[in-house]
Amino acid sequence: MPVPVLGIMTLYLNDRKYLEEKPVYQKMIIEGRKLGLDVYVFTPMDVSEKKQRIYAMEYEPKKGGWTRKWRQFPDMIYDRCRIQQSVRFDQLLRFRRRYSHLTFLNRPLRNKWTIYEVLSKRTEFSPYLPETHLFNSFTDVHHMLKKTPVVFLKPINGTGGRGILRIERMKDPSYYYIQGRNQQRKIITPQKIHTSRLGPFLNSWKMKDRYLVQQGIHVELPDKRVHDYRMLVQKDREGVWQLTGIAGRVGAPGSVTSNLHGGGRAVSFGEMLDKWIEDEESRGQISKKVERLGVSVASYLENQYDALCELALDLAINKKGDIYLLEVNPKPAREVFSQIGDPELYRKAIVRPLEYAAGLYARKNAATK
């Protein structure tokens, strides 16, 4: 039987062809060989439609370096492309349309607002969803702040904590306290702002139809840092959804997000939950609930859209033990498990998509025969 070929498709981050996750791809190539997979990396920019070949990136463990080689199209494609405003993203959209007949391990999901709408139609998910609306005007924020003391404004296509604002209703009803990060992930200077200035301030961020207004959940630790949980669910070799792992994330001082790229740090799930929820029985119930939630959400979204092989769910848990699904990430990083000092869990997070690819190829090959 021929060796199955898996192409990891990603995007360069700039014109110098920088790849953000190259060390991870290196590990995937090495682990793929152990599973009998031939793995290479490419971007849509590397595809020659004239030659019907791909100028692929290959890693040679013995030489400890990367090389380039013209390759045929792979048997399967593992799409790791994240949204960016660039010509490179336009090339990706064209590639997906032109080669939609190829076997993809995972198809793109929609934006955060659409995913929220889809999930909110299921009564089983409703208790886990913080109240969320599409931002149209300051009125949406004003109405939410009447119900809850804290509101978050998030880009519908944002990643890594970019462009997020936190607005808190102060004891003096004439003022709000604003914190956040700009589009470069930098923490903006917190400010106290009068009610009359909030509308113009939000207009300067050009949010209309591009932002969500979301109920804030109390997740501040005693040292005032925020925290949440990153849960990774992936398909196993047989194509069955499984919980791979959960880790806590603690934000940098003064940050409204816990993202690791924004200066946050990773903490093991057990350690984080022990500090946050005192009752042992409650912690056990929470652990069971989040696992069921992750697997159920992944299965449901795949039925609604198309092929998926992994999802990350960002969760907030308040002091009462209520669980909230903040957002779903279809292109998850897995470094959080490396940072909590669990090399076996980190390896599992890297290997599971490869195992699924190997199993998928075997099933397709058997069906063809």
Side-chain angles (χ1 to χ4, degrees):
M1 190 171 81
V3 176
V5 180
L6 176 66
I8 301 175
M9 183 169 69
T10 184
L11 290 177
Y12 297 122
L13 292 188
N14 54 38
D15 294 334
R16 297 187 300 277
K17 297 188 175 182
Y18 173 75
L19 291 182
E20 185 176 26
E21 293 188 299
K22 212 168 183 179
V24 177
Y25 303 147
Q26 177 180 317
K27 293 181 178 69
M28 285 186 163
I29 289 172
I30 294 171
E31 294 293 340
R33 290 184 179 180
K34 297 176 185 177
L35 296 170
L37 283 175
D38 177 7
V39 184
Y40 66 71
V41 181
F42 75 100
T43 80
M45 185 182 290
D46 303 319
V47 178
S48 171
E49 294 185 4
K50 183 178 180 181
K51 293 182 179 181
Q52 280 298 292
R53 293 287 186 274
I54 296 174
Y55 198 40
M57 289 166 272
E58 298 180 338
Y59 181 74
E60 293 294 339
K62 292 182 179 179
K63 296 180 181 178
W66 290 84
T67 59
R68 289 274 191 175
K69 189 176 181 180
W70 284 105
R71 298 289 304 268
Q72 292 184 343
F73 279 71
D75 298 303
M76 299 163 289
I77 296 176
Y78 175 38
D79 187 339
R80 291 291 301 165
C81 302
R82 298 188 177 111
I83 292 174
Q84 58 175 246
Q85 300 296 322
S86 69
V87 173
R88 297 178 293 277
F89 194 75
D90 295 334
Q91 290 175 327
L92 167 66
L93 298 180
R94 289 195 295 272
F95 179 92
R96 285 173 175 165
R97 288 193 298 267
R98 184 177 179 87
Y99 300 105
S100 60
H101 61 283
L102 298 178
T103 300
F104 286 78
L105 302 189
N106 52 334
R107 299 283 182 173
L109 280 184
R110 304 293 294 276
N111 62 51
K112 295 175 186 177
W113 172 239
T114 306
I115 293 174
Y116 174 84
E117 286 188 306
V118 168
L119 290 175
S120 62
K121 292 176 182 176
R122 289 289 291 263
T123 55
E124 66 181 288
F125 299 137
S126 297
Y128 301 104
L129 300 175
E131 184 177 350
T132 305
H133 302 281
L134 187 64
F135 177 91
N136 287 303
S137 70
F138 163 66
T139 304
D140 301 307
V141 181
H142 183 65
H143 285 166
M144 184 76 83
L145 284 167
K146 284 184 175 181
K147 302 177 186 179
T148 180
V150 176
V151 165
F152 278 83
L153 291 161
K154 300 178 176 181
I156 60 173
N157 285 316
T159 59
R162 294 180 179 87
I164 289 182
L165 287 179
R166 178 186 185 274
I167 303 176
E168 181 178 1
R169 188 177 68 228
M170 302 188 73
K171 291 182 180 179
D172 181 345
S174 299
Y175 288 91
Y176 297 107
Y177 188 65
I178 297 180
Q179 300 168 274
R181 289 181 180 271
N182 62 21
Q183 293 297 337
Q184 288 72 46
R185 291 199 186 111
K186 293 180 180 178
I187 296 175
I188 64 173
T189 303
Q191 57 181 299
K192 180 180 174 182
I193 191 170
H194 192 271
T195 306
S196 61
R197 290 183 52 226
L198 185 58
F201 175 85
L202 297 180
N203 288 336
S204 70
W205 281 63
K206 300 177 181 178
M207 294 181 176
K208 186 173 174 58
D209 298 328
R210 298 172 54 242
Y211 265 70
L212 298 180
V213 184
Q214 190 171 82
Q215 168 195 356
I217 311 300
H218 175 64
V219 291
E220 283 191 356
L221 298 168
D223 62 3
K224 301 301 181 183
R225 297 190 185 195
V226 299
H227 81 288
D228 65 9
Y229 301 88
R230 165 58 64 95
M231 174 167 58
L232 179 63
V233 288
Q234 298 173 302
K235 283 184 176 177
D236 61 18
R237 187 181 182 91
E238 285 70 41
V240 178
W241 286 104
Q242 304 283 355
L243 170 66
T244 297
I246 313 175
R249 303 185 301 182
V250 179
S255 173
V256 299
T257 67
S258 63
N259 304 77
L260 302 186
H261 284 300
R265 62 182 177 89
V267 183
S268 75
F269 177 61
E271 179 185 346
M272 191 79 259
L273 202 61
D274 286 353
K275 291 180 179 178
W276 186 244
I277 304 293
E278 294 181 0
D279 183 64
E280 184 178 353
E281 185 177 347
S282 296
R283 293 198 298 268
Q285 292 173 351
I286 289 169
S287 298
K288 292 176 182 177
K289 281 183 180 180
V290 296
E291 180 172 358
R292 288 197 299 268
L293 177 64
V295 171
S296 297
V297 166
S299 179
Y300 177 66
L301 288 178
E302 182 174 36
N303 288 335
Q304 293 298 306
Y305 292 106
D306 205 338
L308 295 171
C309 69
E310 62 183 356
L311 288 175
L313 283 71
D314 290 343
L315 307 172
I317 302 173
N318 67 17
K319 273 291 188 182
K320 295 188 295 183
D322 300 319
I323 301 163
Y324 293 92
L325 174 57
L326 302 179
E327 60 184 69
V328 178
N329 187 336
K331 307 292 169 57
R334 51 215 84 214
E335 301 309 298
V336 66
F337 301 120
S338 173
Q339 292 193 23
I340 64 173
D342 193 333
E344 184 52 39
L345 183 54
Y346 179 52
R347 181 182 176 277
K348 183 192 290 187
I350 286 174
V351 170
R352 267 197 163 156
L354 305 174
E355 292 176 334
Y356 170 61
L360 178 64
Y361 182 83
R363 289 190 292 274
K364 281 181 171 290
N365 195 54
T368 302
K369 287 182 178 180

